[in-house]
Amino acid sequence: MHIHVAFTPDESAAAPTGVVIDVIRATSTICQALASGYERVLCAAEVEDARALGSGDGVTLGGERLGVRIDGFDLGNSPREYLEARSSTLAMSTTNGTRAIVTAAERCERVLIASLLNLGAVTEAAEAHGDDVAIFCAGVKGSFALDDSYVAGRIARVLGGERSDAAEAAVRLAASYPTAEEAFRASRSGRNLINHGAELEADIPYCAQESLLAVVPRLTGMNGVAAEIRL
Amino acid sequence: MHIHVAFTPDESAAAPTGVVIDVIRATSTICQALASGYERVLCAAEVEDARALGSGDGVTLGGERLGVRIDGFDLGNSPREYLEARSSTLAMSTTNGTRAIVTAAERCERVLIASLLNLGAVTEAAEAHGDDVAIFCAGVKGSFALDDSYVAGRIARVLGGERSDAAEAAVRLAASYPTAEEAFRASRSGRNLINHGAELEADIPYCAQESLLAVVPRLTGMNGVAAEIRL
């Protein structure tokens, strides 16, 4: 089994099994929402595309910009807002996460959604497929993100197999932090949450919990411009 | 001073001072050649572009493909072949290195060429400019390369300043190896040299020498499709 990591969506990477990470906070929230009973999550890059998926009967709209819930949306982007399902469908606006999912879909036979919350379940599922794995970090606007790369290293370490240069680097990066929370706090995404105050900062220890949820969200296809994810 | 690392040329990165690394072996060879008395190095991505720069009076042609000197070229890609200048101009064929240099030139006011051989001199020069620094790793065909990223981490550590997520990751990656030679041997580029036999493998400890040369090669401009580099 060959394990590769793409630190940004632009990097070349392809494998039968793709694993996508946007740990602060899109993929943590997707894991939490599906574990809480939402039947599907629709991820759209643009706010207007998420809004067009509707609100009200059967659809909850989730999204933030600059730490503030988007006007007309039901919830923000915190996984802690998704501990109970409010409808069958969650429509989320998430720019970096959607881009990484769509990129992985173009290059992989199957796409699994990863966070630390489902570390054990998602690595077990990737191993069960038995194929080579490409781990895609969403990053921030095309740039390397420490938090996603940390999680990539944790996943690559569990998977074992033959590591690409990037996978080896990710494993070493993850090993350099005593805890996930420390890595997340050091990241640009983590610092952004901290700068928005205690309410958003509380997402850092939440997202840093390991294998809390035994779910393996998978991309089931595109719904217009939105990526549809189900268990 | 803000320090950023682009692990691959495709990543977004811009700063007044650009530092380019293709340590195995293009930028090590450029440093060695200029330290040995070549007045300028012309780097071309394609073999035919280097060949068109001529051979014979005043021009030495350097380049390899798959570990073999290119037909009609005077020398290969090993820095150990450039311990004495054979002419005033060296024309080199180097795909990843040229691409990284040209990318840096599009985004930076000045471009410095770095390897471990000139670690002390190039970091001193970057600090002397006093501006933000973007370190560009050439990588391999657009992918992350452990050897270049190791050197990026060594440079970022010396520079100090405020690190981007990628710069912090590079510093931690470099710190995870006890020696440069160990990092280079673990990299895909290093393993390629090892697989080509003892003659090319000897380039690994050569390129792993630190601050052997007090040179700071700089991009002076484009010469057609070739990047022209001088001290």
Side-chain angles (χ1 to χ4, degrees):
Chain A
M1 188 189 269
H2 186 83
I3 313 297
H4 182 56
V5 172
F7 287 119
T8 62
D10 283 337
E11 278 176 63
S12 58
T17 301
V19 175
V20 175
I21 304 164
D22 186 3
V23 70
I24 298 179
R25 298 166 289 170
T27 57
S28 297
T29 298
I30 292 167
C31 290
Q32 182 62 63
L34 291 168
S36 299
Y38 286 94
E39 287 173 21
R40 60 174 188 168
V41 179
L42 300 173
C43 294
E46 304 299 330
V47 169
E48 290 315 313
D49 291 330
R51 200 193 302 272
L53 295 165
S55 180
D57 283 359
V59 179
T60 301
L61 265 177
E64 282 176 12
R65 283 300 180 273
L66 305 172
V68 178
R69 186 192 305 174
I70 297 165
D71 197 39
F73 278 42
D74 304 301
L75 297 169
N77 273 349
S78 166
R80 295 174 297 120
E81 294 178 278
Y82 297 90
L83 301 178
E84 286 180 15
R86 299 163 57 126
S87 60
S88 57
T89 297
L90 167 62
M92 278 180 73
S93 165
T94 164
T95 308
N96 297 311
T98 301
R99 184 176 166 212
I101 292 166
V102 170
T103 299
E106 289 166 356
R107 306 182 187 169
C108 303
E109 292 170 21
R110 65 190 76 90
V111 177
L112 315 182
I113 305 300
S115 64
L116 275 187
L117 294 174
N118 72 335
L119 177 67
V122 77
T123 51
E124 202 173 296
E127 275 184 325
H129 285 300
D131 291 319
D132 291 349
V133 176
I135 304 171
F136 295 84
C137 299
V140 179
K141 296 179 189 168
S143 277
F144 179 100
L146 204 45
D147 49 324
D148 295 338
S149 304
Y150 172 88
V151 177
R154 293 294 305 275
I155 291 172
R157 179 161 199 163
V158 174
L159 289 178
E162 190 198 341
R163 294 176 191 149
S164 70
D165 275 19
E168 179 65 26
V171 168
R172 286 172 175 268
L173 174 65
S176 78
Y177 286 99
T179 65
E181 185 170 339
E182 196 165 317
F184 289 177
R185 285 185 179 278
S187 73
R188 176 177 163 189
S189 299
R191 294 196 311 273
N192 275 344
L193 290 179
I194 293 166
N195 290 338
H196 275 103
E199 179 54 29
L200 290 189
E201 182 175 352
D203 279 347
I204 297 177
Y206 195 85
C207 292
Q209 298 174 100
E210 295 175 16
S211 303
L212 183 73
L213 309 172
V215 295
V216 185
R218 292 165 186 269
L219 178 70
T220 55
M222 297 301 292
N223 190 315
V225 296
E228 179 169 327
I229 295 157
R230 295 173 178 260
L231 298 185
Chain B
M1 189 189 268
H2 187 81
I3 314 297
H4 181 56
V5 172
F7 287 119
T8 62
D10 283 337
E11 277 175 65
S12 59
T17 300
V19 176
V20 175
I21 304 165
D22 185 2
V23 70
I24 298 179
R25 296 166 287 169
T27 57
S28 297
T29 297
I30 292 167
C31 290
Q32 182 61 63
L34 291 169
S36 299
Y38 286 93
E39 287 172 22
R40 61 175 187 167
V41 180
L42 300 173
C43 295
E46 305 298 331
V47 169
E48 291 315 313
D49 291 330
R51 200 193 301 273
L53 296 166
S55 180
D57 284 358
V59 180
T60 300
L61 266 176
E64 282 175 13
R65 282 302 180 271
L66 305 172
V68 177
R69 185 192 305 174
I70 298 165
D71 198 38
F73 277 43
D74 304 301
L75 296 169
N77 274 348
S78 165
R80 295 175 297 120
E81 295 177 278
Y82 297 88
L83 301 178
E84 286 180 16
R86 297 163 56 127
S87 59
S88 57
T89 297
L90 167 62
M92 280 180 73
S93 165
T94 165
T95 308
N96 298 310
T98 301
R99 184 176 165 212
I101 292 166
V102 170
T103 300
E106 290 166 355
R107 306 181 187 170
C108 304
E109 290 170 24
R110 63 190 78 92
V111 177
L112 315 182
I113 305 298
S115 64
L116 275 187
L117 293 173
N118 73 334
L119 177 66
V122 78
T123 50
E124 202 172 297
E127 274 184 325
H129 284 299
D131 291 319
D132 290 351
V133 176
I135 304 171
F136 294 84
C137 299
V140 178
K141 296 177 188 168
S143 278
F144 179 100
L146 205 44
D147 49 324
D148 294 337
S149 303
Y150 172 88
V151 177
R154 293 294 304 275
I155 291 172
R157 179 160 200 164
V158 174
L159 289 178
E162 190 198 341
R163 294 175 190 150
S164 70
D165 275 20
E168 178 65 26
V171 168
R172 286 172 174 267
L173 174 66
S176 78
Y177 286 98
T179 66
E181 185 170 339
E182 196 166 316
F184 290 178
R185 285 185 179 277
S187 73
R188 176 176 164 189
S189 300
R191 295 196 309 273
N192 275 345
L193 291 179
I194 293 166
N195 291 337
H196 275 104
E199 179 53 30
L200 290 190
E201 182 175 351
D203 279 347
I204 297 178
Y206 195 85
C207 292
Q209 298 174 100
E210 295 175 17
S211 305
L212 183 72
L213 309 173
V215 294
V216 185
R218 292 165 186 268
L219 178 70
T220 54
M222 298 301 292
N223 190 316
V225 295
E228 179 168 327
I229 296 156
R230 295 173 178 259
L231 296 186

